Amino acid sequence: MWSWVLHRITGVAIFFFLLVHILDTALVRVSPEAYNAVIGTYKNPIMGLGEVALVAAIGLHALNGLRIILVDFWAWGTKHQKLLQWIVVILWIILLIGFVPRHLMNVFSE
């Protein structure tokens, strides 16, 4: 059940990120100065931590989506849901181990 809940939460969070991303990118056509001001506000450590949360949400959502596809379309997947869930968690942790330290070094070194 937690997998289902997290899949929905990450999906909604990604949707709202994409909405904001499209709006701030569209701002460049209205006013390049306003666009630069908005992008400038994103260059702070809090937004750097937000980017970590975004990558974590996208990674979890994508990997869990693949697990759902395997469960829905492959008889073996239905029988081994618990194993597939652990594989998702392990791959997600590996993804974050590869991303988080390098990203945070860039965020906090500026």
Side-chain angles (χ1 to χ4, degrees):
M1 182 175 116
W2 287 111
S3 174
W4 181 86
V5 170
L6 287 175
H7 195 72
R8 288 347 181 245
I9 290 171
T10 57
V12 170
I14 293 166
F15 170 78
F16 283 114
F17 163 77
L18 288 174
L19 179 65
V20 170
H21 178 65
I22 290 168
L23 292 174
D24 68 12
T25 303
L27 190 60
V28 76
R29 294 182 68 69
V30 176
S31 169
E33 296 79 22
Y35 172 79
N36 288 335
V38 168
I39 295 302
T41 64
Y42 293 160
K43 295 180 181 180
N44 65 56
I46 302 243
M47 291 306 289
L49 294 174
E51 289 171 343
V52 170
L54 176 65
V55 169
I58 291 171
L60 183 63
H61 190 79
L63 292 169
N64 195 46
L66 293 173
R67 183 192 67 84
I68 291 169
I69 290 169
L70 290 175
V71 168
D72 286 348
F73 295 108
W74 192 22
W76 185 90
T78 305
K79 295 175 188 170
H80 297 90
Q81 287 189 50
K82 194 169 203 169
L83 172 65
L84 289 173
Q85 185 61 46
W86 279 109
I87 291 171
V88 164
V89 170
I90 290 167
L91 289 175
W92 183 65
I93 290 170
I94 291 170
L95 169 81
L96 292 179
I97 288 171
F99 173 74
V100 172
R102 184 175 183 144
H103 178 69
L104 291 180
M105 282 189 308
N106 289 332
V107 167
F108 291 109
S109 68
E110 296 175 356

